Amino acid sequence: MATGILDDATAISGEIADLRHAIHAEPEIGLELPKTQRKVLSALEGLPLEVSTGQGLGSVTAVLRGALPGKTVLLRGDMDALPVTERTGVPFASQVQGAMHACGHDLHTAMLAGAAKLLSARQAELAGNVIFMFQPGEEGQGGARIMISEGVLDAAGERPCAAYALHVASSILPLGVVASRAGTAMAAADTLHVTVRGRGGHGSQPHLAADPIPVACEIVTALQTMLTRKFDVFDPVVLTVGTFHAGTTDNVIPDEAAFVATVRTFSPQSRDVIKNAALGLVRQLAAAHGLEADASFVDGYPVTVNDQAEFGFAQQTTGELFGDNRFLTSPFPLTGSEDFSYVLEQVPGAFIMLGACPADTDPATAAYNHSAEATFDDAALADGTALYAELALRRLAAP
Ligand SMILES: [Zn+2]
Ligand SMILES: [Zn+2]
């Protein structure tokens, strides 16, 4: 069953790399990616696919219907870049100031297009359908959720039995190593907004004012203390205050102090608990000092949870395709977040990392994803293409 996919992927690795380089040179950020979308559409041209594009975003959904009846599998590749100015020096570097494929989504897009080609060539023997989900707006805009609302999960006429996404890493994982884990794979990321409202006055007479700054400072440290007392150490929470603003000069007590924090959780339970606990603590601590606080959470992406059985299937498929030494069971979830989590809330599946660190670089010290110097090796392209295709082939062939 496995024979051939890797060879076929290697045979088209030149054109996959060309597509990757073209996308990389013209990166686009967010939900509308007209140039990237056009490149994908032209790569899919002539293949026996039902292709549609998004309404509220520049997505591409392609459905391959096998000649034989069977189940449906979804493969996802994200397409968007980041607001980063590239400093890699690669020959196909970004030509757009302030935009870069620093998270490797150009590789995902090219590999998924390659997989569409490989699977299309096997249409006659394919039992079931494959949905290719080319998604914009992963980096914060929630493109996956919009594609779901526009019907990507029902694009083949029935819900997929499984969904898979690959993600390349420019560091940590050695080139070609595939990594995943059962259960929580990535964090949920929500944002806490706090404004402590006091009463401004003269810096020399604080007793006549209601100073919001020390109260806001106390809230920041109290939140950290709460994390160590309210949560299981094996289901941790990360809370980082990334902005803190108050005041204009040394002798004026301001009316307000405001801060914003990112809050990372690894289970839906902790995600619920921190929301209530943090809001209560902020408001009550302000009240204890006779001040008021506005506090609210803005929801980011949910926890990315891999299905136990689909994780096992991905592990087995990787082992049989590349050899067992190429698969690594990740010991911990990643503290980043992913909007493939919205797909995995509805369809069992797996989010799978693929090492793309340049062969001549030490993964331990290589530039991380999102860095202006993050470099991804083209040598990962054939493997990623083959893995996408093989996951679909085997999953559809499974009873
Ligand atoms: Zn990213
Ligand atoms: Zn990414």
Side-chain angles (χ1 to χ4, degrees):
M1 189 68 217
T3 52
I5 274 285
L6 202 48
D7 291 340
D8 292 358
T10 306
I12 61 165
S13 59
E15 69 184 74
I16 301 168
D18 287 347
L19 177 59
R20 186 231 160 172
H21 297 168
I23 293 169
H24 192 94
E26 285 192 297
E28 294 174 297
I29 298 165
L31 293 171
E32 292 299 339
L33 320 162
K35 292 174 181 166
T36 309
Q37 188 186 38
R38 267 202 298 282
K39 291 181 182 91
V40 169
L41 290 172
S42 81
L44 302 181
E45 219 166 69
L47 300 178
L49 303 166
E50 295 165 18
V51 177
S52 58
T53 53
Q55 303 292 308
L57 75 176
S59 60
V60 176
T61 301
V63 178
L64 174 65
R65 294 193 188 276
L68 307 167
K71 300 181 287 274
T72 296
V73 166
L74 182 145
L75 302 175
R76 181 272 218 162
D78 41 10
M79 305 194 287
D80 57 317
L82 283 158
V84 171
T85 296
E86 181 159 357
R87 291 199 312 268
T88 62
V90 297
F92 51 91
S94 170
Q95 294 160 11
V96 183
Q97 183 76 13
M100 174 189 174
H101 272 289
C103 203
H105 298 183
D106 50 332
L107 286 88
H108 309 160
T109 308
M111 295 186 306
L112 190 59
K117 186 164 188 178
L118 297 186
L119 291 169
S120 290
R122 287 166 168 73
Q123 188 181 28
E125 70 215 58
L126 195 67
N129 313 309
V130 183
I131 302 171
F132 302 92
M133 175 180 178
F134 292 92
Q135 182 213 307
E138 193 287 319
E139 297 286 0
Q141 300 83 13
R145 186 160 61 164
I146 303 174
M147 286 190 76
I148 291 169
S149 74
E150 293 189 355
V152 67
L153 300 181
D154 301 304
E158 60 163 26
R159 279 288 156 120
C161 65
Y164 309 101
L166 296 187
H167 203 303
V168 291
S170 61
S171 65
I172 301 174
L173 287 179
L175 177 63
V177 169
V178 177
S180 190
R181 72 194 307 276
T184 298
M186 294 187 84
D190 303 309
T191 308
L192 170 64
H193 294 261
V194 174
T195 302
V196 178
R197 286 189 280 117
R199 194 174 61 255
H202 200 293
S204 67
Q205 294 184 304
H207 63 290
L208 299 178
D211 189 349
I213 292 181
V215 177
C217 291
E218 199 175 319
I219 292 172
V220 169
T221 51
L223 284 167
Q224 296 301 327
T225 305
M226 181 188 73
L227 298 187
T228 72
R229 305 296 87 189
K230 241 188 157 50
F231 294 90
D232 186 334
V233 69
F234 297 111
D235 184 12
V237 179
V238 177
L239 186 155
T240 294
V241 175
T243 77
F244 188 107
H245 295 291
T248 51
T249 185
D250 66 325
N251 61 358
V252 175
I253 293 171
D255 287 324
E256 294 181 353
F259 67 85
V260 180
T262 184
V263 181
R264 309 275 165 148
T265 48
F266 299 90
S267 70
Q269 296 76 14
S270 284
R271 195 182 187 205
D272 284 344
V273 171
I274 184 79
K275 285 182 180 171
N276 286 325
L279 296 180
L281 182 140
V282 168
R283 289 173 188 145
Q284 289 166 32
L285 203 46
H289 291 280
L291 278 69
E292 287 183 351
D294 300 327
S296 60
F297 268 90
V298 175
D299 281 356
Y301 298 160
V303 182
T304 302
V305 182
N306 288 339
D307 180 81
Q308 176 84 44
E310 295 302 338
F311 160 76
F313 168 78
Q315 180 179 29
Q316 189 187 351
T317 302
T318 304
E320 289 174 18
L321 189 59
F322 303 126
D324 285 333
N325 60 342
R326 292 274 299 276
F327 190 88
L328 179 77
T329 300
S330 311
F332 305 110
L334 298 171
T335 51
S337 67
E338 237 305 327
D339 75 348
F340 189 61
S341 50
Y342 292 115
V343 175
L344 293 180
E345 281 184 335
Q346 300 198 36
V347 178
F351 183 76
I352 301 160
M353 301 297 294
L354 171 62
C357 177
D360 57 356
T361 310
D362 178 1
T365 54
Y368 205 78
N369 283 40
H370 287 210
S371 159
E373 291 165 7
T375 312
F376 302 86
D377 199 318
D378 280 344
L381 290 170
D383 286 356
T385 301
L387 183 54
Y388 264 133
E390 188 71 7
L391 286 166
L393 277 177
R394 284 181 179 243
R395 192 65 184 75
L396 290 178

